[in-house]
Amino acid sequence: MTEVNRRRFLSGGIAVAGGGVLGAFGLSGTAGAASEARPGGGEISRGWTFVAADGTAMSGKTLSSAAEVAGLKPAVVPGTPLTSMIANGEYPDPLYGHIVTDTVPDTLKDTGYWYRVAFRVPKLVPGQRFWLQFDGINYLGTVWLNGVEVGTVEGAFKRAVFEVTDIVAKADGVAWLAVLVGKLDYTDPPALPSYASGVTRGGRNGGPTGITLKNGPTFFCTAGWDWLPTIPDRDLGIWRPVTWRTTGPVRLADVHVTSTLSADLRTAEVAVELALDSAAGKSVTVKGSLDGRGFHREVVVPAGASSVVLTSKEIGCLRLDRPKLWWPNGYGEPYRYQLTVGVESGGQVHDERTVEFGVRRIEYTRPIQSPSGEVSDCLAITVNNQPILVMGGNWGLDEALKRIPRERLRAQVRLHRDANLNLIRNWNGQSSTEEFFAACDEYGILVWQDFFCSTEGPAAENVDRDLANIRDCIVRFRNHPSILLWCGGNEGPPPQPLVDGLDALVAELDPQRVVLTSSAGDTGPHAVDGYRSGGPYHWVPPARHFELSDGTQWPPFHNEVGSYSIPTLEFMRKMLPESSWERPDDFWADRDVNGNGGNGGGAGYLRLTAERYGEIRNLPDFARKSQMMNYECIKAIYEAPVAFMGSVRPYPRTGVIMWMTNPAQPSFVWQMYSHDLEAHSSFYAVQHACRRVNVILDGRRLDVVVANHTAAVVRGVVEVGLYGLDGVEFARASLPVSGVAGADRAVVGSVASLVKGASAEVVFVRLVFRGTGGVVRNFYWVENPARAVGFAGLDRMAGAAVSVAGRVEGEEVVVEVRNVGRVVALMVHLQVYDPRTGERVLPGVFSDNYLNLVGGEAVSVRVRVGREFVRRGVGVRVDGWRIDQEGSRLRGDGVAVTFNREALGVWPGVSTFGR
């Protein structure tokens, strides 16, 4: 029989509490009765009510009974008090057309909340056990069931499981559950927006004093950040599901799967550790299957907590020959194995679980000589023997009010996949959910998993609570192949007790992964070097990013760098009241337009936009010019590291993570799509910059670079065309690509002399690579270095004539776009909309958008919209930099194709913007 290791169980699993009822039931009962006690359960999601706890004399004993209780209102669970209040009509959605702190009183944070629900429970048979599980309560939870206090949970990111068998056995089919959600220990007044100040909410993240961070594991960003308004209830509440389940006498508390992949990738050894909780000593059969191959093993389980370790030495199917590997996005399929395992005896299944895991081999560092002259182990990721240039996005919070159903979250992660990114940094662990990691597993997105410390305020006061939440997160999520590494916090080291505790937890619970002290640097005897944060966080010209990443700048890995990222006209009109459309004000400030004060805040950014692209005449003109600003800067954030990766010396780029990619609220800054999941030009800038085989233009030197992220050598030719504002090609070149090694880049030529010799101040550069992997196109508008005066001249271009034809194919809309004139068609933008309402169809997933086409050039765009929208009918709207509407041709086959006249209306007789 397999030996049971009781000590090792204590390192994993969920802490179990239960008011003295743990293990109260033995194994009495007949085999027939026991066979009926199969595992079961469900989510408790309906029928919840809630009420503010302060000022009420109600007790947990009363609320967790059938007694009539007045004053309770319907509650959304999972959810927060504010989401319940919005659902009940007490407040409008504060993120649209409102200033949050003017719309909802900040007093919502100053009380705890009682939650109450009744739910049906099964009649238990002898030997059957009943469990309540809470996946997340912010901030402190006290749980009552049928008049009995069963336990507590502390911290937003810790689960709690309570055995309540004896209570449910007496429940007569219905259980009454009450939960007291405790308020934060420390809070600040709200951080208020001020457009005139030029900084965001007082210029300080974390609230006026930052004291919120003393609370420990919570959503501390809701105190107010430079990308998030103060959320009045601070996202308190039962924010994750509440479930119940039954087991037999032996419960599977945790299943931990590890795999060790050989250096040649030919074999993998899988180990499975089962954390067990048994009501009494018992002989059981561990039975399961991996990839369709079954196994079983007899074990003796003692009473209480213990663990069983299964390896390939005793179970043959745990050795995988030629395993299917989990790959990051763009390098291969992110394959996941499925392990099913259960515990049974005497024909009774006590408990069973299904776990998905991936097989991959990760190396974390590469030796690079630092400026001091010493060789350092620098952060440089290799997966399955393939060097990976990390191209990632910082993800601050999934949604400001925690309104994050599974499909919305999957859509957000899928957008990262579609943008060709390969990593998300889960900033300060604020979005740690099973659904998040499962989506990253599915789409091949690596996760840099921060924990809960930030330098924006004091450290967590309760170190033990913080470490308990960290422990549970590691245990809970360590099976996910997407998790790349653990990190102590943001921009600076946590206090030493937290650093020591985190290092010890990773060594104990997940030693295969690296742990970093913070996002700004690592400490300890074997510290990882070569990475930093630190911006810039505002708009800079593309040349600046190429200067910062040109291989002469230390360190090689940059995990925070961002810019303004303005959404479309339609979304700006949704998120602002009409009175603010043409007049930037505090409503704009509550939507983050001041950023962190970079570019001189919102007003400074507007001036910069006007200086670069010409006077801003109205809101549509601001949207149009902003898409140009978005595209050129954010594209350079990713293209610059690509241009200097691989064999560049002395400091080859190893990674970049943009600040940010996912917006928690409607915003003007740090995103690549909007809060409503509409991708604007930033998204396509990222998508175009992060292709695995690419041709790019160095924004500073005007070198033509072919980048190859794959393992195979790339060969072919780059066709270069240079065009003036009239659309006439005045120079061309053909640059051979004799061979670019895997995970490397090569300069194949330069257009610097051709651009400097142009007669105009603005030159369009079209690059087309033809060769290994097919055809890759890229397009730039660049300043003539001899006459660098910005791009206001683009406003004097003649309009471009385009042909746009739409049709339906299955669940997709196919749009054929051709430039039928001579003038360059610049930033041609497509939207799919509902012709009955005029509303955008979201999320509409375009294969390409913000198209740049020279005369005669054509492209086919496919848009995934879903069966329901196709059945009801969809339309396509077209806008762009300057469109010759009379000379253009629009037609549709079952699809209405029209001009987006609102977006094209950028020429009022008198400028109205900012007046």
Side-chain angles (χ1 to χ4, degrees):
M1 287 192 176
T2 300
E3 291 296 321
V4 174
N5 185 329
R6 298 189 62 182
R7 180 186 61 81
R8 290 194 65 192
F9 169 79
L10 299 177
S11 71
I14 312 170
V16 179
V21 298
L22 179 62
F25 279 72
L27 303 179
S28 59
T30 65
S35 68
E36 299 173 6
R38 298 189 62 83
E43 183 176 341
I44 307 170
S45 59
R46 297 182 179 180
W48 286 90
T49 56
F50 83 120
V51 67
D54 286 8
T56 178
M58 288 182 286
S59 67
K61 186 171 184 178
T62 300
L63 284 166
S64 62
S65 72
E68 291 288 333
V69 178
L72 279 74
K73 298 179 180 180
V76 176
V77 175
T80 71
L82 182 53
T83 55
S84 295
M85 293 172 189
I86 293 171
N88 293 339
E90 295 180 51
Y91 300 109
D93 186 324
L95 303 184
Y96 287 83
H98 297 273
I99 294 174
V100 175
T101 48
D102 288 350
T103 306
V104 182
D106 199 60
T107 54
L108 298 187
K109 73 180 187 309
D110 296 329
T111 177
Y113 292 88
W114 277 109
Y115 284 80
R116 186 193 199 208
V117 70
F119 63 102
R120 295 194 176 277
V121 294
K123 181 177 178 59
L124 302 181
V125 300
Q128 194 171 25
R129 305 168 79 186
F130 191 99
W131 308 85
L132 273 177
Q133 178 162 322
F134 293 82
D135 283 349
I137 295 176
N138 185 36
Y139 167 61
L140 309 171
T142 304
V143 179
W144 293 70
L145 188 69
N146 285 14
V148 178
E149 182 179 340
V150 298
T152 61
V153 57
E154 297 186 11
F157 304 102
K158 190 174 187 300
R159 296 169 296 174
V161 174
F162 305 102
E163 183 179 7
V164 290
T165 305
D166 58 345
I167 299 174
V168 170
K170 304 172 186 176
D172 197 23
V174 177
W176 289 87
L177 175 63
V179 181
L180 176 61
V181 175
K183 62 185 179 181
L184 301 176
D185 296 314
Y186 302 98
T187 57
D188 255 344
L192 304 178
S194 169
Y195 179 77
S197 72
V199 296
T200 300
R201 302 180 185 92
R204 193 189 194 290
N205 290 331
T209 70
I211 197 173
T212 299
L213 278 77
K214 290 183 70 172
N215 290 297
T218 186
F219 304 111
F220 56 72
C221 56
T222 60
W225 225 262
D226 52 17
W227 47 270
L228 191 69
T230 299
I231 305 301
D233 66 353
R234 306 302 191 267
D235 285 347
L236 295 172
I238 305 174
W239 72 279
R240 294 294 296 146
V242 181
T243 56
W244 66 270
R245 60 192 304 259
T246 59
T247 70
V250 182
R251 169 178 168 261
L252 271 174
D254 182 59
V255 179
H256 180 205
V257 183
T258 57
S259 61
T260 303
L261 181 61
S262 64
D264 62 6
L265 312 183
R266 292 179 177 272
T267 60
E269 303 288 339
V270 177
V272 181
E273 181 177 5
L274 308 177
L276 304 174
D277 175 6
S278 182
K282 188 171 180 62
S283 295
V284 298
T285 300
V286 175
K287 189 174 182 179
S289 66
L290 173 60
D291 204 29
R293 299 164 64 192
F295 63 85
H296 68 276
R297 181 69 68 229
E298 305 297 324
V299 300
V300 175
V301 180
S306 61
S307 71
V308 174
V309 178
L310 309 174
T311 70
S312 62
K313 293 180 179 179
E314 43 194 5
I315 297 175
C317 69
L318 296 183
R319 177 185 171 89
L320 302 174
D321 293 318
R322 298 190 178 278
K324 299 175 182 178
L325 304 182
W326 187 93
W327 286 95
N329 180 35
Y331 296 90
E333 181 186 2
Y335 187 83
R336 286 152 293 151
Y337 284 90
Q338 191 172 85
L339 170 75
T340 299
V341 63
V343 181
E344 60 181 67
S345 64
Q348 174 189 5
V349 177
H350 295 281
D351 200 3
E352 58 187 357
R353 298 285 183 90
T354 297
V355 175
E356 288 189 341
F357 68 97
V359 175
R360 79 284 190 277
R361 175 186 177 90
I362 296 181
E363 297 163 73
Y364 288 92
T365 62
R366 183 187 313 161
I368 299 175
Q369 187 175 27
S370 71
S372 69
E374 296 182 1
V375 175
S376 299
D377 289 329
C378 290
L379 186 63
I381 304 303
T382 298
V383 181
N384 303 333
N385 298 340
Q386 171 67 38
I388 303 293
L389 177 67
V390 168
M391 295 180 291
N394 283 278
W395 176 303
L397 187 66
D398 40 30
E399 205 277 333
L401 306 185
K402 300 304 294 181
R403 299 171 296 188
I404 191 69
R406 177 176 177 271
E407 282 309 309
R408 176 184 171 88
L409 191 144
R410 287 185 72 249
Q412 289 168 286
V413 177
R414 185 172 62 241
L415 282 166
H416 285 70
R417 187 274 310 271
D418 292 344
N420 294 321
L421 294 178
N422 55 33
L423 179 140
I424 289 173
R425 177 184 166 214
N426 188 6
W427 178 86
N428 280 286
Q430 300 281 279
S431 299
S432 297
T433 66
E434 182 67 32
E435 292 87 350
F436 171 74
F437 294 110
C440 291
D441 291 347
E442 178 183 357
Y443 294 121
I445 303 297
L446 294 163
V447 178
W448 173 312
Q449 176 67 10
D450 278 3
F451 285 118
F452 320 118
C453 189
S454 175
T455 57
E456 303 282 355
E461 186 175 66
N462 190 325
V463 172
D464 290 341
R465 179 191 293 162
D466 222 58
L467 290 174
N469 279 248
I470 291 172
R471 170 183 283 274
D472 194 56
C473 280
I474 294 173
V475 168
R476 183 178 186 179
F477 302 126
R478 59 189 172 180
N479 288 331
H480 288 280
S482 57
I483 295 179
L484 173 68
L485 56 80
W486 310 106
C487 180
N490 181 53
E491 294 184 344
Q496 199 60 43
L498 273 174
V499 174
D500 294 341
L502 173 60
D503 288 348
L505 286 172
V506 174
E508 173 193 352
L509 303 172
D510 194 23
Q512 288 187 327
R513 287 188 174 95
V514 154
V515 56
L516 304 178
T517 303
S518 81
S519 66
D522 196 21
T523 61
H526 304 290
V528 175
D529 199 3
Y531 70 94
R532 69 174 177 92
S533 46
Y537 299 99
H538 53 275
W539 195 95
V540 298
R544 176 60 176 158
H545 287 299
F546 281 86
E547 179 185 0
L548 291 171
S549 297
D550 68 357
T552 68
Q553 305 293 317
W554 179 267
F557 195 117
H558 199 171
N559 61 30
E560 287 188 16
V561 53
S563 178
Y564 277 86
S565 185
I566 309 298
T568 63
L569 171 67
E570 289 77 13
F571 188 63
M572 281 193 281
R573 286 178 170 175
K574 287 283 186 182
M575 71 193 210
L576 297 169
E578 188 170 356
S579 60
S580 297
W581 288 357
E582 300 292 333
R583 187 183 299 275
D585 56 13
D586 287 352
F587 288 92
W588 288 56
D590 214 34
R591 304 285 82 84
D592 310 325
V593 77
N594 282 334
N596 66 345
N599 295 130
Y605 177 75
L606 296 177
R607 286 193 299 271
L608 179 62
T609 303
E611 290 168 3
R612 193 159 180 86
Y613 284 99
E615 179 187 18
I616 300 172
R617 305 190 64 80
N618 59 9
L619 187 65
D621 198 30
F622 175 63
R624 180 182 72 130
K625 288 170 178 170
S626 293
Q627 299 314 311
M628 305 285 279
M629 294 282 281
N630 290 356
Y631 191 83
E632 59 166 335
C633 181
I634 287 177
K635 193 156 171 265
I637 286 174
Y638 289 99
E639 285 190 340
V642 169
F644 297 97
M645 68 175 185
S647 58
V648 171
R649 294 293 179 268
Y651 311 127
R653 299 299 94 182
T654 57
V656 62
I657 309 177
M658 187 170 77
W659 186 264
M660 304 163 70
T661 46
N662 177 67
Q665 70 137 353
S667 180
F668 285 108
V669 69
W670 302 327
Q671 58 192 341
M672 66 176 182
Y673 50 81
S674 301
H675 183 257
D676 65 355
L677 307 189
E678 181 182 35
H680 41 78
S681 68
S682 297
F683 176 89
Y684 297 97
V686 176
Q687 184 185 71
H688 297 159
C690 297
R691 291 173 289 204
R692 297 300 178 260
V693 174
N694 210 356
V695 56
I696 63 180
L697 185 67
D698 181 326
R700 184 171 60 139
R701 300 172 180 168
L702 298 182
D703 289 338
V704 177
V705 181
V706 173
N708 175 22
H709 300 265
T710 72
V713 175
V714 165
R715 296 181 175 87
V717 64
V718 176
E719 300 166 0
V720 181
L722 278 71
Y723 301 79
L725 292 178
D726 57 2
V728 174
E729 184 181 47
F730 66 84
R732 67 166 52 201
S734 181
L735 307 175
V737 181
S738 58
V740 182
D744 206 352
R745 41 66 86 190
V747 175
V748 297
S750 174
V751 299
S753 62
L754 296 175
V755 172
K756 290 177 182 177
S759 60
E761 69 269 19
V762 179
V763 175
F764 297 119
V765 180
R766 178 178 180 265
L767 305 177
V768 181
F769 170 73
R770 302 182 190 276
T772 309
V775 178
V776 180
R777 294 178 172 85
N778 222 333
F779 190 90
Y780 301 84
W781 49 97
V782 299
E783 295 177 273
N784 183 335
R787 305 166 63 184
V789 294
F791 297 113
L794 296 178
D795 245 355
R796 299 188 293 272
M797 286 174 59
V802 294
S803 168
V804 182
R807 67 182 187 276
V808 172
E809 287 187 4
E811 296 185 13
E812 293 186 326
V813 175
V814 179
V815 187
E816 308 286 351
V817 184
R818 179 181 293 275
N819 184 344
V820 295
R822 187 179 69 177
V823 176
V824 172
L826 194 60
M827 298 291 275
V828 177
H829 174 224
L830 307 175
Q831 282 182 333
V832 174
Y833 73 103
D834 186 335
R836 299 171 303 169
T837 65
E839 294 294 327
R840 295 158 295 150
V841 174
L842 297 171
V845 182
F846 292 73
S847 61
D848 201 357
N849 213 332
Y850 292 92
L851 312 170
N852 299 294
L853 305 173
V854 299
E857 190 174 12
V859 67
S860 180
V861 176
R862 307 188 76 90
V863 194
R864 299 197 305 269
V865 294
R867 183 178 307 165
E868 179 62 22
F869 283 107
V870 168
R871 185 186 63 80
R872 286 163 35 188
V874 294
V876 174
R877 285 195 293 243
V878 184
D879 64 86
W881 179 250
R882 289 178 62 79
I883 301 292
D884 175 5
Q885 297 182 45
E886 291 185 0
S888 297
R889 301 194 297 266
L890 309 182
R891 65 185 187 277
D893 182 3
V895 177
V897 181
T898 64
F899 288 115
N900 187 342
R901 299 190 187 278
E902 292 288 327
L904 290 168
V906 298
W907 299 107
V910 178
S911 175
T912 59
F913 194 75
R915 299 295 192 267

